[in-house]
Amino acid sequence: MTVTMFSVASIAVLVAMALSMIRALVGPTVFDRILAVNVTGTLTVVLIAVYGFLDGRPDFLDIGLLYALINFIGTIAVSKYVKFRDLGHPMDGPDEGDV
């Protein structure tokens, strides 16, 4: 029963990942694509956690959390680069805030 439940959850996550990858390819804006890649990364964390519990190895959750942190930092960095065309130095002129 538990294996079936985790298998169905894995299939649902994979379907959601396919839909978000379609959004990443279609767009229409760069921010839609960034958000779609972020959603894919988040669903990957869920898939890693489900696989860990399916395999009886809950230590996969630590790997999932590390991947979530990398996904979050990557999304912020790409969003900041797209908006400001620079990652480290503020632009001259009026402050536009931060991403």
Side-chain angles (χ1 to χ4, degrees):
M1 178 68 180
T2 305
V3 173
T4 304
M5 184 177 68
F6 282 129
S7 299
V8 170
S10 298
I11 291 170
V13 169
L14 288 173
V15 168
M17 286 175 74
L19 292 174
S20 67
M21 287 307 295
I22 290 172
R23 173 55 68 188
L25 293 174
V26 173
T29 67
V30 69
F31 293 109
D32 291 333
R33 292 182 173 137
I34 292 170
L35 183 61
V37 171
N38 186 20
V39 167
T40 302
T42 302
L43 290 172
T44 302
V45 171
V46 173
L47 192 63
I48 289 171
V50 168
Y51 179 73
F53 284 109
L54 183 64
D55 198 32
R57 298 174 61 184
D59 51 340
F60 274 33
L61 199 57
D62 294 335
I63 297 170
L65 289 174
L66 180 65
Y67 188 81
L69 181 64
I70 292 170
N71 185 33
F72 174 73
I73 292 171
T75 300
I76 296 297
V78 170
S79 297
K80 186 173 181 179
Y81 182 76
V82 167
K83 179 155 176 121
F84 297 112
R85 297 287 179 214
D86 196 356
L87 288 177
H89 304 289
M91 296 175 54
D92 293 335
D95 186 19
E96 296 181 13
D98 207 351
V99 177

